[in-house]
Amino acid sequence: MKLSTVIEMKGISKSFPGIKANDDINLSVEKGEIHVLLGENGAGKSTLMNILYGLYQPDEGQIFIKGKAARISNPNVAISLGIGMVHQHFMLVEPFTVAENIVLGSEPKKGTSLDLDKAIKDVEELSKKYELKVDAKSLISDISVGMQQRVEILKTLYRGADILIFDEPTAVLTPQEIEELGVIMESLVSQGKTIILITHKLKEVMAMSDRVTIIRRGKVIDTLNTKETDIDELAEKMVGRKVNLHVEKLEKASDTPVLEVKGLKALDSRGLEAVKGVDFEVRSGEILGIAGVDGNGQTQLIQAITGLQKLTAGEVLLNGKEITGLPPKDVIDSGVGHIPEDRHKRGLILNYTLAENSILGSHKNKKFKSKFGLSYPKIREHARRLIKEFDVRTPNENVEARSLSGGNQQKLIIAREVDRDPSLCIAAQPTRGLDVGAIEFVHKRLVELRDSGKAVLLVSLELDEIMSLSDRIAVMYDGKIVDIVDAKDATEKKLGILMAGGSIQAEK
């Protein structure tokens, strides 16, 4: 029997300056299903859901909720219609308790003040009803990321939501927390809720959804029953061509250390110790992956190695020579390529052309010089070669970097760093926000570096990426490397235990 339709979006179009984010989109969601919106970065998924939640207004089209036309002018209207949204970046007040966050804006009152006892009681009852165990009295700052997500879900349920939108909900969760989220979603559906899940992770689509709608360049490509499709078909429809999702590597050729890190300590922006005495090495012809939940010191570790921030202790050796504390330019000149985690802040100057960005860090090289300074004909020729070799989609080398998509910006950075022929390439979140086609390209280039005898230090929040690319995997938790395991012996469960601060030995 066909389920009743709870959401009907018809002919939805939305444009921003220079881009049509949604182009005549039709979407139908049935009561009691988990419906995934799948698409590459910039495909228009989040824009469509922001329209449904009232954060944006469509230029064209209509929305029907449970068969009735609705004009959702703001999120309060969406909430009144039973629509809740769990955002990718949690909207919680850290100094407040769990209960205070859940009731915020809809507080039970005792006179003119918050009735805290009733708030705690209401949250405990709600938590029990939906089997979302939380400690109502705990401070948000004291609970795990996975528990914070439960608080966000309870916030929407407290306001009466029966349609829940999850925007990339697994981005900062451990494998165990992702598994728990799947159970939570199934439980919510069994109690009559309807879920729309935005994701680009194909494994999650297959594991969690009933149906999937693929959006490419603002248009709906297809809607499929999950049981009647597979990862390969989804990837092809998502990108528009066949994608090779299997990473092939040659056998590792050498045990010669290229990078040696000894007793490294570093502070975060608040002056607190973020890296707490880290030791590891990366060898010639290997990819060492660093796994961990975001915020466990990975960013500060990479910045300390690359000279972007000071070490408070320890030393860094490259090919046996000390590079501890050198400025970033000297680190680059010593043979380090760096693909930074924030491509806009650290990787590109967005107002510069592609040609100018293609020589950042190498601009003093004599091959780019003329008698009077920089030789722009040589720089443009260099950029055209990289654009062709690395398939950077752009009209020409003279456009500003900001005009490119995220994937093509990343390709330009990788082209620049790989072209230097570094002995060590540090790749921090190299595929963040990229579609499967761009991910395939990035992975291929990193493996080529590794197979040519270079050392690659890969830092990623994507566990699938770490497991498929790495030869060895170091897991960071609370500023320390808690274990280094051979990738052949690694499982999601083992790594997830380590990422949460547990011990594999204890699990055995």
Side-chain angles (χ1 to χ4, degrees):
M1 185 180 76
K2 181 175 169 58
L3 297 169
S4 59
T5 301
V6 291
I7 297 168
E8 193 83 36
M9 302 183 81
K10 295 183 176 180
I12 300 294
S13 292
K14 178 67 176 178
S15 294
F16 299 100
I19 185 171
K20 193 157 193 176
N22 292 159
D23 187 357
D24 193 26
I25 285 183
N26 296 308
L27 175 70
S28 176
V29 180
E30 308 297 340
K31 179 176 171 59
E33 74 170 339
I34 300 177
H35 194 120
V36 162
L37 290 186
L38 176 69
E40 57 194 323
N41 187 44
K45 312 180 299 295
S46 293
T47 298
L48 187 66
M49 288 301 99
N50 283 332
I51 288 171
L52 181 61
Y53 192 58
L55 291 168
Y56 295 153
Q57 296 304 302
D59 300 331
E60 298 174 38
Q62 288 182 292
I63 300 172
F64 297 85
I65 305 297
K66 299 172 185 174
K68 295 181 180 179
R71 183 179 177 273
I72 307 176
S73 55
N74 59 63
N76 287 332
V77 174
I79 291 166
S80 72
L81 292 168
I83 301 169
M85 190 164 184
V86 179
H87 298 273
Q88 184 176 355
H89 303 289
F90 302 152
M91 297 184 178
L92 301 172
V93 184
E94 290 206 348
F96 284 15
T97 65
V98 166
E100 288 167 336
N101 268 276
I102 289 171
V103 304
L104 189 62
S106 305
E107 301 94 336
K109 296 289 182 69
K110 183 183 286 183
T112 58
S113 303
L114 167 67
D115 187 342
L116 186 57
D117 290 338
K118 187 172 189 318
I120 291 171
K121 183 182 177 184
D122 288 349
V123 167
E124 287 174 344
E125 288 177 357
L126 194 69
S127 170
K128 186 175 181 180
K129 177 180 178 181
Y130 290 105
E131 299 178 4
L132 287 165
K133 187 178 180 182
V134 295
D135 182 350
K137 299 176 184 178
S138 290
L139 295 177
I140 293 297
S141 56
D142 293 338
I143 63 176
S144 69
V145 174
M147 200 58 68
Q148 288 180 28
Q149 190 171 67
R150 290 186 178 207
V151 176
E152 284 282 15
I153 296 169
L154 285 168
K155 273 174 60 179
T156 67
L157 296 172
Y158 181 77
R159 286 154 182 78
D162 53 21
I163 299 165
L164 286 81
I165 304 165
F166 288 80
D167 188 0
E168 298 283 1
T170 64
V172 292
L173 302 182
T174 66
Q176 282 79 5
E177 288 170 334
I178 292 171
E179 201 172 300
E180 285 173 14
L181 178 63
V183 173
I184 289 168
M185 287 183 176
E186 289 292 345
S187 174
L188 290 170
V189 165
S190 72
Q191 296 188 59
K193 305 300 179 184
T194 301
I195 293 173
I196 303 175
L197 171 63
I198 303 172
T199 186
H200 66 273
K201 298 180 180 180
L202 298 174
K203 279 178 64 178
E204 289 171 15
V205 176
M206 298 304 298
M208 294 182 177
S209 68
D210 299 299
R211 289 195 300 154
V212 53
T213 293
I214 301 107
I215 299 177
R216 188 168 77 235
R217 297 182 182 178
K219 291 178 178 287
V220 170
I221 300 303
D222 205 350
T223 296
L224 304 167
N225 292 320
T226 307
K227 290 179 180 178
E228 297 170 5
T229 186
D230 57 34
I231 283 178
D232 290 332
E233 182 183 16
L234 291 176
E236 185 174 349
K237 286 181 179 290
M238 182 175 165
V239 180
R241 62 174 177 81
K242 287 193 177 295
V243 179
N244 182 10
L245 298 169
H246 179 67
V247 176
E248 295 179 357
K249 298 181 293 187
L250 301 172
E251 283 298 315
K252 184 165 65 71
S254 169
D255 287 323
T256 305
V258 173
L259 175 70
E260 297 171 83
V261 174
K262 301 177 181 180
L264 191 149
K265 295 183 180 181
L267 306 179
D268 64 16
S269 59
R270 300 167 295 170
L272 303 175
E273 193 168 59
V275 184
K276 304 175 180 179
V278 164
D279 300 273
F280 66 88
E281 66 180 26
V282 190
R283 302 160 186 164
S284 171
E286 86 160 343
I287 297 175
L288 176 71
I290 295 185
V293 176
D294 198 16
N296 278 279
Q298 303 97 312
T299 296
Q300 291 79 16
L301 173 65
I302 297 305
Q303 289 183 348
I305 293 171
T306 55
L308 291 168
Q309 76 172 66
K310 291 182 179 179
L311 291 71
T312 56
E315 59 180 337
V316 181
L317 304 177
L318 185 72
N319 295 317
K321 295 180 180 179
E322 190 163 351
I323 61 168
T324 311
L326 290 180
K329 178 67 170 66
D330 294 343
V331 173
I332 290 170
D333 290 344
S334 68
V336 176
H338 180 206
I339 302 165
E341 64 175 290
D342 187 334
R343 54 180 166 262
H344 289 171
K345 186 176 179 181
R346 301 287 189 189
L348 298 167
I349 300 177
L350 295 176
N351 292 336
Y352 280 19
T353 67
L354 303 194
E356 291 165 332
N357 273 284
S358 75
I359 64 162
L360 288 181
S362 302
H363 52 281
K364 292 186 178 180
N365 192 308
K366 61 183 180 181
K367 69 181 180 179
F368 301 125
K369 293 289 186 69
S370 71
K371 289 181 181 179
F372 308 104
L374 290 173
S375 171
Y376 275 87
K378 291 178 182 177
I379 294 169
R380 285 192 287 268
E381 182 184 354
H382 170 75
R384 284 193 295 270
R385 178 177 63 82
L386 294 185
I387 287 167
K388 182 178 180 181
E389 183 180 342
F390 286 78
D391 190 30
V392 181
R393 308 288 177 83
T394 176
N396 56 62
E397 74 278 7
N398 298 314
V399 302
E400 290 184 357
R402 71 170 62 254
S403 69
L404 268 60
S405 69
N408 284 299
Q409 289 176 347
Q410 194 76 341
K411 285 181 180 180
L412 181 66
I413 294 169
I414 292 169
R416 182 184 67 214
E417 299 305 311
V418 170
D419 191 64
R420 290 193 183 114
D421 194 31
S423 55
L424 168 72
C425 180
I426 298 175
Q429 316 302 343
T431 60
R432 175 179 277 167
L434 303 189
D435 62 77
V436 289
I439 289 170
E440 176 195 35
F441 175 88
V442 173
H443 286 179
K444 181 182 176 184
R445 287 296 179 171
L446 292 177
V447 170
E448 284 175 357
L449 273 176
R450 175 247 193 219
D451 290 348
S452 69
K454 311 298 184 185
V456 178
L457 177 61
L458 170 67
V459 181
S460 177
L461 301 177
E462 302 290 346
L463 200 51
D464 284 348
E465 181 168 68
I466 288 285
M467 293 180 69
S468 62
L469 287 178
S470 304
D471 298 292
R472 292 184 301 138
I473 301 170
V475 180
M476 279 195 81
Y477 174 76
D478 192 27
K480 299 175 183 176
I481 289 182
V482 293
D483 205 347
I484 299 179
V485 299
D486 193 303
K488 293 176 182 175
D489 302 324
T491 64
E492 282 196 7
K493 183 178 181 181
K494 285 181 181 179
L495 294 176
I497 291 167
L498 293 169
M499 288 163 64
S503 164
I504 293 176
Q505 284 73 25
E507 179 69 12
K508 290 175 183 176

